[in-house]
Amino acid sequence: MFSCAALVTGYPSPPENLLPVGLAHLRVAQAIYAVLVELEADPDTLMVEAGLDPRLFECHGKLVPYSSLGRLIAIAVERTRCPHLGLLIGQRTTITSLGLLGLLLNNSDTIGDALRALEAYLGMLNRGAVVGLGIDNDVAVLTYCPYEPGAEGAVHHSDRALATATNILRALCGSDWAPLEVLLPRSAPSSTTPYSQFFRAPVRFDQETAALVFPASLLKRRIAGADPVLRRRVEDRIRRLESARPSTLKDGLRQHLRAEVIRKRCDVMKTALRLSLGRRTLSRRLRAEGTSFKQLANEAQFRVAKRLLADTKMSMTEISAVLDFSEPAAFTHAFRRWAGMTPSSWRQGNHSETKREEHQ
């Protein structure tokens, strides 16, 4: 346990500013071990099967590949026959378990400030996904997008993340808080009761992204007990860590475009403006890193397409519209170019239900 002062002045090794893309601090998923024990599974055996050292959970501050945590959860889902395992893990994650970031959220001025801080600084704890906050008239949408949506266990990471986000909002707003609705990019399990009981809201499956939907007016609510002096100290500390973290334009754009694909905003001019760069400068810098905006945008579309094909029952027409193709035929043509086969053929061999049947 760390005091507030310790969280502001120091952090366990390795420092958070060294967190590379694709890695997460172990405390992002510290609840995994406890949940597996509760389900009478053997965590050590499952960790070895997932390619992880069973002693991993003894190492506070340890970094772990995000994909490995996803593989562990996916294997555990199969062995325990608990399709809502990710939900159980997320339920055990609290705002205090987010360390320095949780301290910033707790002391933000408003709920909107807290969620924008989560959007900006999630990378301190988790470089395997991005969070986005959008507002449409009187409705706010908090989205969670895995950086590698096609990776094993990504669907369970989404369950976990939305449960964690709900716990964060309940910590800030009160334990009776509930969203207007919950969106999940997965097919509905045999029983949806655990989801409706925890979220206390309508849960819609087979959606294009993972999201919590709630009234936009909530963003203006002030956070009780927030300490502005402590908030400034924490934010200064986080900004120093962020500025020291090595990253490339390519990696940053990959994460940005991952969220923008769903919003149909993969526009090179808008992206350049967001980065305060000219279009030619953006193109030149990406070329120097061996890629292009179009290549990164196509990569993001391909990743999202694979996730929707594998984990949902959305039709080709629906997926085509989500990815902003003019018609299903254009989507099929692009997917064949990316994968060497049609989306229907790829889905037949990779759909999550097909995989579950093969394991049974």
Side-chain angles (χ1 to χ4, degrees):
M1 291 290 292
F2 296 92
S3 66
C4 289
L7 281 167
V8 174
T9 58
Y11 235 76
S13 180
E16 294 191 330
N17 56 302
L18 297 181
L19 187 59
V21 171
L23 292 183
H25 276 280
L26 188 58
R27 63 176 171 275
V28 172
Q30 281 289 343
I32 294 177
Y33 198 97
V35 171
L36 293 179
V37 170
E38 286 180 359
L39 294 176
E40 299 183 348
D42 183 349
D44 292 349
T45 299
L46 295 178
M47 290 180 71
V48 170
E49 190 172 347
L52 293 168
D53 187 336
R55 296 171 296 177
L56 182 67
F57 287 91
E58 302 171 7
C59 306
H60 300 290
K62 180 79 173 179
L63 299 181
V64 58
Y66 185 81
S67 58
S68 295
L69 287 178
R71 189 180 312 117
L72 172 61
I73 297 173
I75 292 172
V77 166
E78 297 293 341
R79 300 295 182 271
T80 62
R81 297 185 181 277
C82 179
H84 61 281
L85 184 65
L87 182 71
L88 295 179
I89 294 168
Q91 288 178 35
R92 298 181 68 100
T93 306
T94 66
I95 194 169
T96 56
S97 65
L98 301 182
L100 193 63
L101 179 57
L103 194 58
L104 175 60
L105 303 185
N106 249 331
N107 289 280
S108 295
D109 187 33
T110 66
I111 300 298
D113 292 334
L115 294 182
R116 281 185 279 272
L118 180 65
E119 180 181 30
Y121 301 125
L122 178 68
M124 290 186 58
L125 296 175
N126 180 357
R127 296 295 300 280
V130 291
V131 165
L133 178 63
I135 302 173
D136 184 8
N137 294 320
D138 58 349
V139 172
V141 182
L142 185 69
T143 59
Y144 175 87
C145 304
Y147 188 57
E148 293 284 355
E152 192 172 3
V155 63
H156 305 297
H157 270 311
S158 294
D159 285 3
R160 175 191 60 76
L162 290 195
T164 296
T166 299
N167 278 345
I168 289 172
L169 283 163
R170 285 175 180 163
L172 300 175
C173 302
S175 59
D176 60 343
W177 182 85
L180 294 174
E181 61 179 354
V182 179
L183 312 180
L184 286 170
R186 59 169 296 173
S187 297
S190 55
S191 174
T192 62
T193 300
Y195 293 87
S196 57
Q197 287 182 338
F198 174 72
F199 291 113
R200 304 196 295 268
V203 180
R204 295 169 54 195
F205 295 89
D206 289 313
Q207 300 302 302
E208 61 198 54
T209 191
L212 296 178
V213 182
F214 52 90
S217 58
L218 181 72
L219 299 176
K220 298 179 181 179
R221 182 187 296 185
R222 302 186 75 83
I223 297 175
D227 183 338
V229 175
L230 181 57
R231 183 196 70 236
R232 287 192 292 271
R233 291 176 61 196
V234 174
E235 197 162 31
D236 286 345
R237 172 67 173 156
I238 288 176
R239 285 174 176 168
R240 287 197 299 272
L241 292 173
E242 284 286 301
S243 63
R245 186 175 65 193
S247 64
T248 65
L249 178 62
K250 178 169 61 177
D251 286 337
L253 270 184
R254 275 193 173 126
Q255 293 191 34
H256 170 69
L257 291 174
R258 171 64 191 91
E260 295 301 278
V261 162
I262 296 297
R263 300 174 187 171
K264 303 179 178 67
R265 295 178 182 172
C266 289
D267 181 276
V268 63
M269 286 300 297
K270 291 180 180 178
T271 301
L273 286 172
R274 175 181 174 273
L275 297 172
S276 299
L277 296 173
R279 178 173 179 172
R280 291 183 179 179
T281 301
L282 175 62
S283 298
R284 184 174 65 253
R285 288 182 57 181
L286 288 174
R287 190 163 54 248
E289 293 182 17
T291 188
S292 66
F293 183 87
K294 183 177 181 180
Q295 183 177 336
L296 293 176
N298 286 341
E299 178 186 289
Q301 284 185 308
F302 184 37
R303 288 176 172 175
V304 173
K306 288 191 293 183
R307 176 180 59 78
L308 297 179
L309 289 168
D311 296 327
T312 77
K313 295 179 181 177
M314 293 176 68
S315 68
M316 297 302 163
T317 299
E318 290 171 326
I319 295 175
S320 172
V322 166
L323 298 177
D324 205 26
F325 283 94
S326 58
E327 58 182 358
F331 167 57
T332 298
H333 178 75
F335 194 92
R336 188 194 295 272
R337 186 175 69 251
W338 296 330
M341 64 179 72
T342 65
S344 297
S345 297
W346 191 91
R347 169 177 265 178
Q348 187 173 4
N350 293 275
H351 197 273
S352 54
E353 287 191 355
T354 302
K355 291 181 179 179
R356 282 198 297 270
E357 291 170 359
E358 291 174 351
H359 280 92
Q360 293 174 351

